[in-house]
Amino acid sequence: MKSIRVGHLGWGGSLDTARDLLARHSGTMLRHLTLPRFLNAALLGCELVMRRTTVRSRPLVIKIEPTNICNFQCPGCRTGSGEDKSPRGQINFEDYKRIIDKTHKYAFKVILYMWGEPLINKDIFRMIRYAASKNLAVQISSNMNVFRSGYAEEIVDSGLEHLIVAMDGVSQGVYEKYRVGGKVEKVVKNVELIMEARKQRGARFPVLEMQYIVFPHNRDEIDKAEMMAERLGADTFTVIDSTINTNPAGARLRNGLPRKPDKCNSLWMMACFNWDGSFSPCCDSVDDSFGNVLEEDLKALWNSDKIRKSRSLHTSNPTKEGPATKCSRCRIYGSYVTFLPEGSSTNPENTHTQSAGNSGKSSTEVPMGV
C-alpha cells in the first residue's frame, strides 16, 4: 500500500504543481491516450506556460455532478452545512451523455462527484459505463454509507478506475465529528465487499484510495486508520492536513514564510458541470455560473468573456473591465483553504471538517490524486 501526505489542494497551483500532477497522472493519461488527446494536451501545455486567456485547447479533466444531494451533514461542505441554497437535483442521464459526447474527444478523465454523494444517483453505474465506453478514466469519491445489494459488484464491473473513500476516523465518536450522520462500520463493511468482489474477479480496478483529512480532533487516529487501510487492502492511504501551511491570518506559507498565492491552472485544465448543466471552472465556483453546456457550444463557453477575464487574473496583465467573476474572490487562491467551515476554530471541541469524499476539493486527485 502506498502512503501519501498531501498539503496542496486542487488542480490549480504553480507550474511545479502541474508537473507533479502530470507525474502522478501519467499512468492514467497513457492508458487513455489517443492522438487528439495528445495534441490537445501539448497545446494546452504551451498555452498554460504562455498564460493565454483565449485558448484553442480543451480541458483535460471534466467534473460532472451526479447530484448535489447528500446523506451527511458535514459542516464544512456547501451541501451539508446548508450554505448552498441552489435547488437540489440529479443529472438526467441523457443530459449527462450530451456532456460526455461534447468533451470526451480531448479529455482523459471524468470525475463524478462535486457537492453530493454520487451513489445516490440511481444511474451512477450507467454513467460510469458510458464514460468508460468513450475511453475515459472515471473517478468517484464516496462516503460509502449509501450502499445497496450488488453495489460492490457493480463498482468493480462498471469500468470505474479510481475510487476514493473518505474515512476521517476509526472510532465512531471521532469519525462522526465531521462526517455527521455517518457510520464508520458501514465504510469498513462496504470496502470489504468491494475488495472481495475485486479479488473474486481478479480485477485491477478500481484503484481504491482511503483518504484521511486531519483535524485536531482526529489526529491521534492517523496510525490506526493507516493500519485499517492496510488491512482492508487499499491501494493508497492519503493524509490531507486541513490546517497545514497556515498562520492565524490564514495566509499561505512556503517554508514558513508568507508568499503570494499560486497561479490557478484549473482555468485551463478542468471544466466542472453541475447537475443542471451549468458550467464553472472549478468546484469552488459552482455558485457562479459561466454558462450552460446543455444550451451553449462548449467552444464558446471555454472562451467566454467571463472565463477569459478569470484567466487574466492569473497573468501579469489582469483585465479590469468585463463581467464580475467568482475567481476574483476565490477562497482557494486568496488564502489557503482548509476543510473547516468559515470562522471555525481549530480547537478540538468545535472542529468539524469538509466532506472531502463529496466535495471535489479533497483527495489526492482533486488534490493530486488519481
Side-chain angles (χ1 to χ4, degrees):
M1 183 183 72
K2 183 189 300 182
S3 293
I4 300 172
R5 265 52 178 178
V6 176
H8 175 80
L9 304 177
W11 279 82
S14 65
L15 290 179
D16 287 340
T17 302
R19 284 192 290 269
D20 290 342
L21 283 167
L22 181 62
R24 288 195 53 113
H25 298 284
S26 58
T28 296
M29 296 180 74
L30 287 173
R31 280 193 297 274
H32 300 277
L33 186 65
T34 63
L35 182 58
R37 289 173 182 169
F38 171 78
L39 294 175
N40 179 64
L43 178 59
L44 187 149
C46 293
E47 292 178 329
L48 184 57
V49 170
M50 297 170 66
R51 313 308 288 188
R52 291 178 61 92
T53 57
T54 301
V55 299
R56 291 184 295 156
S57 60
R58 298 292 176 266
L60 301 182
V61 179
I62 304 300
K63 291 195 76 171
I64 302 177
E65 181 178 62
T67 181
N68 62 353
I69 300 169
C70 191
N71 54 317
F72 282 11
Q73 296 85 47
C74 305
C77 170
R78 290 178 184 275
T79 298
S81 67
E83 175 190 351
D84 182 10
K85 304 299 183 184
S86 61
R88 296 285 176 262
Q90 302 184 36
I91 194 168
N92 176 280
F93 182 69
E94 293 304 317
D95 290 341
Y96 168 80
K97 286 176 62 178
R98 289 173 60 192
I99 297 174
I100 292 293
D101 291 345
K102 288 185 176 187
T103 56
H104 77 87
K105 184 175 180 181
Y106 302 108
F108 287 86
K109 177 174 194 170
V110 59
I111 299 173
L112 296 180
Y113 61 92
M114 210 105 79
W115 295 103
E117 167 53 49
L119 294 183
I120 286 177
N121 189 306
K122 66 184 188 311
D123 288 322
I124 188 65
F125 299 116
R126 288 179 71 197
M127 293 165 63
I128 294 170
R129 289 191 189 92
Y130 188 75
S133 75
K134 299 295 183 179
N135 192 26
L136 284 163
V138 186
Q139 173 185 312
I140 67 171
S141 180
S142 173
N143 59 45
M144 283 287 117
N145 269 238
V146 177
F147 215 82
R148 299 178 177 87
S149 176
Y151 268 26
E153 293 76 16
E154 287 271 28
I155 284 172
V156 177
D157 295 340
S158 63
L160 182 66
E161 195 160 305
H162 186 185
L163 172 62
I164 298 170
V165 175
M167 190 176 77
D168 312 320
V170 174
S171 64
Q172 178 62 25
V174 169
Y175 173 80
E176 67 185 359
K177 266 188 175 290
Y178 177 65
R179 305 288 169 178
V180 180
K183 300 293 183 184
V184 71
E185 63 184 25
K186 288 186 177 181
V187 180
V188 174
K189 176 185 175 182
N190 294 330
V191 168
E192 287 175 338
L193 291 172
I194 293 168
M195 298 310 290
E196 179 61 26
R198 201 177 81 169
K199 180 180 178 181
Q200 288 179 353
R201 287 157 170 72
R204 179 184 173 192
F205 298 111
V207 169
L208 193 139
E209 175 183 342
M210 300 290 288
Q211 178 182 274
Y212 195 96
I213 301 177
V214 182
F215 303 93
H217 73 265
N218 70 354
R219 191 175 294 276
D220 291 343
E221 290 197 350
I222 295 175
D223 290 342
K224 291 180 181 178
E226 186 168 11
M227 288 189 288
M228 174 74 76
E230 183 80 44
R231 181 184 72 77
L232 291 172
D235 300 286
T236 305
F237 178 70
T238 301
V239 176
I240 303 172
D241 195 326
S242 69
T243 58
I244 194 171
N245 292 336
T246 61
N247 63 20
R252 300 183 67 184
L253 308 178
R254 175 173 284 147
N255 298 325
L257 300 174
R259 67 170 184 188
K260 294 181 179 179
D262 288 331
K263 289 182 169 62
C264 176
N265 296 328
S266 295
L267 289 156
W268 285 263
M269 296 175 64
M270 183 167 67
C272 298
F273 302 101
N274 296 335
W275 68 268
D276 59 359
S278 55
F279 159 66
S280 55
C282 84
C283 63
D284 198 57
S285 60
V286 295
D287 55 347
D288 180 19
S289 176
F290 282 54
N292 193 299
V293 72
L294 301 175
E295 301 168 358
E296 304 171 59
D297 180 68
L298 179 63
K299 181 179 179 180
L301 286 178
W302 200 232
N303 281 296
S304 66
D305 290 344
K306 200 166 188 177
I307 198 167
R308 286 189 291 110
K309 179 177 180 178
S310 298
R311 290 185 185 124
S312 80
L313 300 174
H314 298 276
T315 70
S316 57
N317 296 298
T319 301
K320 295 181 175 60
E321 294 77 23
T325 169
K326 176 71 175 286
C327 297
S328 64
R329 55 187 188 278
C330 179
R331 295 188 294 184
I332 297 177
Y333 292 95
S335 63
Y336 189 87
V337 168
T338 75
F339 289 88
L340 301 171
E342 291 288 325
S344 288
S345 164
T346 56
N347 187 296
E349 294 299 318
N350 56 16
T351 294
H352 293 279
T353 38
Q354 171 175 3
S355 174
N358 305 325
S359 80
K361 272 202 296 275
S362 43
S363 113
T364 306
E365 244 286 35
V366 98
M368 305 171 57
V370 216

